[in-house]
Amino acid sequence: MIWPKKYSLNEINEFNKNCLVDHLEIQISAIDSSGLEATMPVKTFNQQPFGLLHGGASCSLAETLGSIAANLVLLGQDQVAVGQSLTANYLKPATNGIVTGRTEPIHIGKKSQVWSIEIKDENERLLSNFTLTVAIIPHLTL
């Protein structure tokens, strides 16, 4: 188990209100002992002009998953995880329906974390995969 406590999906989704995650209709849909999942619809607002899911929207789903997971691991500490690098590989297009992303840790360290994210369509076809590296920094109040 990588989480320091049991989280509810409601609790996690409530934290994402009124930001990009909410506007892209990303919903955390599952949490288990080794990872986190989220869904995002493929609609005109996140497609590129040729009707395909926009790569930037896929990146947003991937970074959302990895960042939320990284920060859930740190909850209760006086630290936060902030994105440092996102690597993307686009394998197949999506034109409609719901895509689902899943993230699991590759490395959870004291100064950095690395997360693997896969995005699949409703038929379980792998659409894209990502690696997100986050830096662990002191929590700053601005």
Side-chain angles (χ1 to χ4, degrees), residues 5-39:
K5 73 170 209 135
K6 186 173 178 151
Y7 296 101
S8 75
L9 297 179
N10 225 18
E11 174 183 15
I12 299 168
N13 283 312
E14 191 60 34
F15 184 73
N16 297 313
K17 293 288 183 199
N18 301 314
C19 64
L20 180 67
V21 178
D22 198 21
H23 294 293
L24 289 175
E25 298 182 19
I26 295 171
Q27 288 289 308
I28 303 303
S29 56
I31 185 168
D32 59 35
S33 63
S34 63
L36 192 63
E37 292 184 10
T39 60

Side-chain angles (χ1 to χ4, degrees), residues 48-112:
Q48 41 98 311
F50 303 108
L52 305 175
L53 178 61
H54 194 288
S58 296
C59 285
S60 293
L61 176 56
E63 185 148 356
T64 294
L65 271 167
S67 293
I68 288 173
N71 280 289
L72 291 178
V73 167
L74 295 172
L75 194 71
Q77 301 178 33
D78 200 19
Q79 298 175 307
V80 294
V82 295
Q84 210 171 22
S85 171
L86 180 67
T87 304
N89 294 288
Y90 303 104
L91 309 170
K92 289 185 169 64
T95 56
N96 57 40
I98 304 282
V99 295
T100 300
R102 177 165 178 85
T103 189
E104 293 186 359
I106 296 170
H107 167 74
I108 297 178
K110 292 182 181 181
K111 295 187 179 188
S112 68

